[in-house]
Structures are given as C-alpha cells and as structure tokens.
C-alpha cells in the first residue's frame, strides 16, 4: 500500500480573541501527524482585532507537518465560563491552501469567541484564509487547574480584572452586556460573491449611470478587504473580482486613475446593518452567486453600493447609513460621507 505523504512547512502559531470579548487558555494543542504537537502559549488575556494576533506564540518552526486536530480548554471572560473542544481540522482544505498559495503561509491562528466558538485561520502577509469554524462545549475546572498554580483568586475576581483592564470590553459590558448567542455564527457566515467595480458617469438630468465616451476612461488599479469573519485579502491579483466564498466586508480600500488623477477610497461597514442587509438579500440561499457592485463617479462625488444577482429585477441598494466612506484625490481629501466619524488616520491599515 502506498504510504501517505505528509509535507513539512515552516510556520508559527498564535491565538486571538475579539477585543470586546477577551479570552484566556488553560491549554491549546494542535496535533500534527505522528503525534507531533504544537502548543499555543497563554496570553493574559487574548484580546484584539478578530483574526489578527498581536503577537506570536513561537518563533518560526522549521519542517513541521500541518495540524490535524485541535484540543483546547479556554475561558470566555465576559461569560465567566470555561469551554473545551476536541475537533478534527479540515486537513484537505488546509493542505490545499499551504500547497497552492503563491505567498507562503507563515502562521496558523486560533480564535476564541463567546459561547464556545473557535475559528482557525491560515495567514500569509497579504491574505488570510478561514480554515474552519467550530463549537466547543461548556466544561468545569478549578481555577487552580486553569492557571496551573496555587492562587487565592476567584474566577469572578480574575474576570473582573481582565475586563477592568480592557477599556473597550468594559464599556461594551456596561452598555450592552453579553452578546447574543449566535452573534459569532453570524460573523462567520460565508457567502459566494464577487466585487464589480463600475467607473461610470452619473447623469443628473436623466438620473442614470452612463459609460465614459470620447474621454479618458478611468482605469481601476486594485482593491483590498478585511472581513467580519476575521480574514483579509490584500493581494492585488484581481482575485476579489472573481466569485469566491467569503464573509461580510468590514473594510474595503480601492484605487483607480482618471488620467493623471489618482483616487483612493476607504469604506467601513457597520456590522449589524450590513448583516441585516445580507440576511435579507440572500435569505436561506447563502451559496447563491451574487455581485457586490460599487459604482463610482469621483468627479461628481457620486458613489453607490448595491447587491445584485441574476434573476431579480432590481438590485438591492445598500443605504449610506450602513457604511462610512472617505476618498482621496492625489492624496488630498476629496470626499467624505455625511456620517463619517472614523479616527484620524483610520485609512492607514
């Protein structure tokens, strides 16, 4: 019988929890082929932008096979509850990404969410891939076992300490309390769509979009995205303009030219409003191929976002209340939406 080949790679591992919902781990082991194991080191607590670790747990590891299982016990701080998971990792998907990506994958990231949610990403410098979304089970261990040391702390005091030292988490708990049980399931929901960038002209008299004629036609350069499922794509290979499976957009940037004039746009999406739009548009058919259309007439400061798919009479226009937008012309601000309130320099990703 032919022996299965297990390729070796150079990568590191890290953990993360959403900045509003910090977490800590008792242990997290990624089991590889032949009982080889990699541990995610504790961080007290994990907290940051979902999907993007602040620091790595190991220096680069050489010639390591890819993980096949995850085994973990962790603490959801805002819930004050422990969770455990033992799950198979989608090896075929993970192997395909490592083998076929143009830029080497340098990191595997484990994300911890409230109510036992666990995400796994593979990350390169310019793109990250969602490998899987899992659900652990609530469990019970003593605080001494969790911290693996004698302590006079209680679970309540430990969680209070973590929350009080996280300004965003503290404010969120005081104003909103615990998140809804399915909030991260909604964060991680995948859809099939492509971006369609239409650089056109807005005819105010006829109230319609028209193409450029007998003029210097705008040239689209590239776009980048960060998604609510914690993944991102900052490659400039036109992959976002092809149908692909992805979460809902969180941030988008794009650049285009009109003659010698260079335009750069940045868009931030409000999660709840965007989620409601997607759920209404897709319904139960989340695997329906759709277009995320962005229409642009930069010279008239006219911008329009909409969702469209074949078979429907009218596309679904995304209201401006669901996103904020700022545009630069030759590196000087040229336009900002009426509801724009991002911090200074927010467009520097």
């Amino acid at each position: 019988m032919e022996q299965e080949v297990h390729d070796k790679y150079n990568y590191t591992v890290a953990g993360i929890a959403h900045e509003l919902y910090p977490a800590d781990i008792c242990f997290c082991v990624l089991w590889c082929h032949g009982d080889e194991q990699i541990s995610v080191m504790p961080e007290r607590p994990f907290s940051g932008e979902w999907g993007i670790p602040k620091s790595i747990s190991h220096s680069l590891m050489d010639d390591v096979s890819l993980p096949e299982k995850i085994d973990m016990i962790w603490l959801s701080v805002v819930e004050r509850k422990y969770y455990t998971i033992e799950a198979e990792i989608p090896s075929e998907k993970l192997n395909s990404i490592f083998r076929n990506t143009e830029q080497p994958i340098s990191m595997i990231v484990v994300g911890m969410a409230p109510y036992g949610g666990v995400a796994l990403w593979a990350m390169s410098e310019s793109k990250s891939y969602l490998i899987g979304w899992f659900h652990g089970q609530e469990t019970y261990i003593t605080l001494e076992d969790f911290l693996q040391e004698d302590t006079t702390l209680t679970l309540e005091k430990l969680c209070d300490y973590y929350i009080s030292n996280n300004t965003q988490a503290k404010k969120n708990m005081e104003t909103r309390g615990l998140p809804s049980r399915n909030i991260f399931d909604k964060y991680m929901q995948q859809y099939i769509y492509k971006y369609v960038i239409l650089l056109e002209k807005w005819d105010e008299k006829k109230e319609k979009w028209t193409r450029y004629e007998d003029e210097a036609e705008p040239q689209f350069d590239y776009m980048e995205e960060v998604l609510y499922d914690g993944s991102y794509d900052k490659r400039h290979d036109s992959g976002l303009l092809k149908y692909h499976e992805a979460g809902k957009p969180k941030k988008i940037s794009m650049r285009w030219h009109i003659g010698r004039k260079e335009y750069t746009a940045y868009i931030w999406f409000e999660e709840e409003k965007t989620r409601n739009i997607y759920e209404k548009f897709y319904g139960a058919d989340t695997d329906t191929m759709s277009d995320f259309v962005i229409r642009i007439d930069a010279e008239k400061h006219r911008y329009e976002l909409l969702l469209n798919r074949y078979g429907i009479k009218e596309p679904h226009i995304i209201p401006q209340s669901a996103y904020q937008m700022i545009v630069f012309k030759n590196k000087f601000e040229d336009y900002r939406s009426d509801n724009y309130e991002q911090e200074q320099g927010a467009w520097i990703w």
Side-chain angles (χ1 to χ4, degrees):
M1 181 181 294
E2 185 177 349
Q3 192 173 20
E4 186 177 358
V5 177
H6 292 268
D7 295 334
K8 302 282 188 175
Y9 298 94
N10 304 331
Y11 63 92
T12 187
V13 297
I16 190 61
H18 194 283
E19 56 198 355
L20 299 181
Y21 313 113
D24 195 3
I25 61 173
C26 178
F27 69 87
C28 177
V29 177
L30 301 179
W31 291 95
C32 305
H33 176 67
D35 289 335
E36 185 178 37
Q37 66 181 51
I38 308 168
S39 296
V40 177
M41 303 303 293
E43 186 173 312
R44 299 272 150 82
F46 291 94
S47 177
E49 185 174 358
W50 183 236
I52 313 295
K54 292 181 179 178
S55 60
I56 61 175
S57 302
H58 290 278
S59 58
L60 193 68
M61 296 176 290
D62 298 329
D63 297 327
V64 182
S65 58
L66 297 181
E68 299 173 348
K69 299 178 182 178
I70 182 171
D71 185 6
M72 178 170 61
I73 292 179
W74 76 102
L75 169 66
S76 173
V77 172
V78 296
E79 296 176 83
R80 305 167 195 268
K81 291 181 179 180
Y82 301 107
Y83 289 91
T84 182
I85 189 171
E86 293 183 41
E88 300 282 339
I89 293 172
S91 298
E92 185 175 341
K93 182 176 183 179
L94 185 59
N95 274 277
S96 176
I97 289 171
F98 266 79
R99 289 172 181 169
N100 298 322
T101 183
E102 294 181 3
Q103 189 176 58
I105 299 297
S106 59
M107 188 180 299
I108 293 177
V109 182
V110 179
M112 293 152 279
Y115 306 110
V118 175
L120 199 69
W121 299 275
M123 180 182 299
S124 72
E125 183 177 344
S126 60
K127 181 172 174 60
S128 70
Y129 303 81
L130 178 65
I131 303 302
W133 172 240
F134 312 92
H135 292 88
Q137 301 296 321
E138 187 177 343
T139 189
Y140 174 79
I141 61 173
T142 67
L143 189 59
E144 288 76 12
D145 288 337
F146 181 80
L147 297 176
Q148 298 180 353
E149 61 185 46
D150 292 332
T151 178
T152 58
L153 277 174
T154 65
L155 179 61
E156 290 291 321
K157 288 182 179 179
L158 178 65
C159 293
D160 286 342
Y161 174 78
Y162 284 157
I163 293 173
S164 65
N165 283 275
N166 184 323
T167 303
Q168 291 177 296
K170 181 180 179 181
K171 181 179 179 181
N172 187 67
M173 287 300 294
E174 290 174 346
T175 56
R176 298 184 179 181
L178 288 174
S180 61
R181 178 164 289 276
N182 62 353
I183 183 64
F184 272 85
D185 289 331
K186 294 179 180 294
Y187 273 19
M188 309 308 288
Q189 177 66 61
Q190 302 291 287
Y191 303 88
I192 298 177
Y193 64 93
K194 67 178 179 181
Y195 293 103
V196 178
I197 312 300
L198 300 178
L199 302 171
E200 299 179 325
K201 297 183 69 175
W202 173 250
D203 189 323
E204 295 181 357
K205 293 183 178 179
K206 297 181 179 180
E207 293 189 343
K208 60 184 292 187
W209 291 90
T210 61
R211 295 184 178 183
Y212 277 76
E213 294 181 3
D214 302 325
E215 300 174 69
E217 186 175 353
Q219 298 296 316
F220 177 73
D221 295 332
Y222 66 81
M223 72 182 307
E224 300 178 355
E225 68 170 5
V226 176
L227 305 178
Y228 273 105
D229 67 7
S231 63
Y232 58 82
D233 191 337
K234 300 180 182 180
R235 300 176 300 176
H236 298 167
D237 63 353
S238 300
L240 297 175
L241 307 182
K242 303 173 184 176
Y243 287 114
H244 59 288
E245 188 175 34
K248 299 182 297 297
K250 181 179 181 181
K251 298 186 290 187
I252 290 175
S253 70
M254 64 190 108
R255 193 179 75 183
W256 67 95
H257 283 79
I258 304 177
R260 294 185 178 181
K261 293 175 286 188
E262 177 186 284
Y263 291 88
T264 310
Y266 301 88
I267 310 173
W268 291 260
F269 293 88
E270 200 278 329
E271 194 278 329
E272 185 175 0
K273 292 179 180 178
T274 304
R275 183 206 322 154
N276 291 337
I277 290 168
Y278 266 67
E279 289 179 350
K280 181 178 180 181
F281 178 78
Y282 280 92
D285 301 321
T286 56
D287 59 349
T288 299
M289 292 192 297
S290 302
D291 295 341
F292 190 112
V293 182
I294 302 177
R295 274 197 164 112
I296 297 171
D297 183 346
E299 295 178 314
K300 291 185 179 179
H301 296 163
R302 178 81 182 195
Y303 302 92
E304 186 176 87
L305 278 59
L306 54 94
L307 290 170
N308 186 40
R309 66 170 177 262
Y310 299 106
I312 61 174
K313 293 182 179 180
E314 296 291 337
H316 185 97
I317 296 177
I318 299 175
Q320 291 187 358
S321 61
Y323 61 90
Q324 300 178 36
M325 184 175 189
I326 190 168
V327 181
F328 294 90
K329 175 182 176 182
N330 293 334
K331 299 184 179 181
F332 291 94
E333 184 179 327
D334 185 61
Y335 167 83
R336 66 168 61 192
S337 58
D338 293 338
N339 61 346
Y340 186 84
E341 58 179 12
Q342 296 292 320
E343 296 179 359
Q344 180 71 22
W347 50 86
I348 302 174
W349 294 5

